[in-house]
Amino acid sequence: MKLSIIIPVYRVEATLDRCIESVLHQDIDDFEVILIDDGSPDNCPKMCDEWAHRDAHIRVIHQPNGGLSAARNAGINAAQGEYITFVDSDDYISPDTYAPLLEDIGTADIIEYPVYKRLSLQDKEYSNIDRYWLETKAYAHTYACNKVYRSSLFADVRFPVGRVFEDAYTFPLLLRRAHSIITTSKGCYHYDENPQGITATADGTKLSMLLDAHMHNGMPMDDEYYLHLLNIQMDVWEQTSQPMVLPTRRLHTDIFNGKNKLKALALNTLGIRTLCRINKLIHHFVSPSR
């Protein structure tokens, strides 16, 4: 078995068929599709079984609702492929995506491909994982679904059950087990923008989980990565007033432009605590109901 495609399913009646069809229409033969019905209370369990009856590539696992991480983990446990990839059931894949990825991955452990309107990538191979992390700003696209992974990377890695932003926890663990990663301009993952999704609606408590994942991932941090985390830290402190976990750092302001340059200058001049207080004060007056 070459590729295991893991698709968690929960309350996606409107998009499930589109997702599965996009996967089945790929120009590959040696693959399996594992549909994880995560206790969906609608018609999705029946739809999954109907798809499995129609196409021998498809297997279905029905389990009580445990969330996205639990569903993906069930798929990992059942996967038989040399490689693993994930697709969320409200998203879909462009035609002719998986074939070139499997052809190009070679001896690499991970290949990452573009996300429509979110992420474009150059054709490049990295044997230095730290360089990949900083050069591509991978900390901003730790998405699980736009990558194909060698299955052996998951030997002792699973997604954290009960946490949001689970990708930010898991991807660095996989990178630390990888010898090389390829980025490619081939293929495309279509992410369904959900205004009610976790990313769009995350409160301070959920954002603190995201910050915690970054603070303990063991990956290198440059000034651009620090500024990325500073934005999260300001939101967490504004909404929760929890003690700050991001350490003080003086940034090289000449590498930034526009608002980021101003923010870096303000950080160097005022310090992180004062900057967070000013940020909260500005939001209070601009949006008092926030």
Side-chain angles (χ1 to χ4, degrees):
M1 182 71 65
K2 189 72 169 179
L3 179 65
S4 295
I5 304 166
I6 298 170
I7 306 178
V9 177
Y10 186 77
R11 289 186 172 178
V12 285
E13 286 181 343
T15 60
L16 182 58
D17 286 345
R18 179 187 67 179
C19 175
I20 296 174
E21 286 170 358
S22 77
V23 168
L24 294 179
H25 289 164
Q26 298 294 309
D27 188 21
I28 55 175
D29 296 316
D30 192 13
F31 72 100
E32 64 177 353
V33 178
I34 306 175
L35 301 177
I36 313 296
D37 161 36
D38 192 40
S40 189
D42 53 8
N43 199 43
C44 283
K46 180 181 177 182
M47 294 172 68
C48 289
D49 290 338
E50 290 173 346
W51 271 108
H53 182 73
R54 288 153 56 185
D55 195 298
H57 290 101
I58 297 176
R59 287 193 285 149
V60 181
I61 296 174
H62 297 284
Q63 65 181 32
N65 179 249
L68 180 58
S69 287
R72 286 178 178 166
N73 290 343
I76 294 168
N77 294 339
Q80 299 175 358
E82 180 183 356
Y83 299 97
I84 286 175
T85 193
F86 303 94
V87 184
D88 286 346
S89 46
D90 47 0
D91 303 334
Y92 63 98
I93 308 297
S94 283
D96 196 28
T97 288
Y98 289 147
L101 296 181
L102 292 172
E103 182 178 341
D104 290 351
I105 193 168
T107 60
D109 294 303
I110 303 171
I111 187 166
E112 180 178 24
Y113 63 101
V115 180
Y116 182 65
K117 289 187 176 181
R118 279 192 164 205
L119 177 67
S120 59
L121 294 164
Q122 296 180 341
D123 298 315
K124 195 165 185 178
E125 182 169 2
Y126 295 87
S127 57
N128 185 318
I129 301 300
D130 289 351
R131 182 183 174 193
Y132 156 77
W133 181 256
L134 297 176
E135 186 174 295
T136 72
K137 298 180 175 58
Y139 47 82
H141 46 95
T142 60
Y143 323 129
C145 291
N146 72 319
K147 302 169 181 73
V148 174
Y149 313 83
R150 194 173 297 277
S151 298
S152 57
L153 295 179
F154 288 95
D156 59 350
V157 173
R158 292 296 184 272
F159 290 90
V161 176
R163 286 185 174 268
V164 296
F165 297 108
E166 60 286 326
D167 299 353
Y169 283 90
T170 307
F171 188 46
L173 296 177
L174 298 172
L175 286 177
R176 282 307 181 200
R177 287 154 178 79
H179 297 290
S180 63
I181 180 170
I182 290 173
T183 59
T184 180
S185 59
K186 299 176 183 177
C188 189
Y189 187 92
H190 293 262
Y191 175 80
D192 185 54
E193 297 288 348
N194 181 3
Q196 301 304 315
I198 291 174
T199 302
T201 62
D203 59 17
T205 300
K206 292 177 180 177
L207 287 173
S208 68
M209 293 185 189
L210 175 60
L211 184 60
D212 178 73
H214 282 286
M215 293 304 301
H216 297 94
N217 62 19
M219 303 302 288
M221 184 184 299
D222 61 9
D223 284 356
E224 289 181 288
Y225 185 17
Y226 182 93
L227 198 64
H228 176 80
L229 297 185
L230 176 61
N231 293 329
I232 303 172
Q233 176 67 89
M234 289 194 298
D235 285 341
V236 169
W237 191 83
E238 177 185 353
Q239 296 182 47
T240 69
S241 296
Q242 293 176 1
M244 295 180 191
V245 298
L246 188 66
T248 299
R249 180 171 180 145
R250 189 169 185 84
L251 304 184
H252 295 86
T253 59
D254 56 327
I255 67 173
F256 299 108
N257 296 302
K259 291 182 179 179
N260 284 340
K261 188 178 188 72
L262 291 175
K263 190 172 292 183
L265 287 168
L267 174 71
N268 289 349
T269 303
L270 303 172
I272 187 171
R273 294 182 180 279
T274 301
L275 186 59
C276 284
R277 293 189 183 100
I278 292 173
N279 178 69
K280 183 175 183 178
L281 190 63
I282 290 173
H283 285 158
H284 174 75
F285 284 106
V286 172
S287 180
S289 61
R290 178 169 169 162

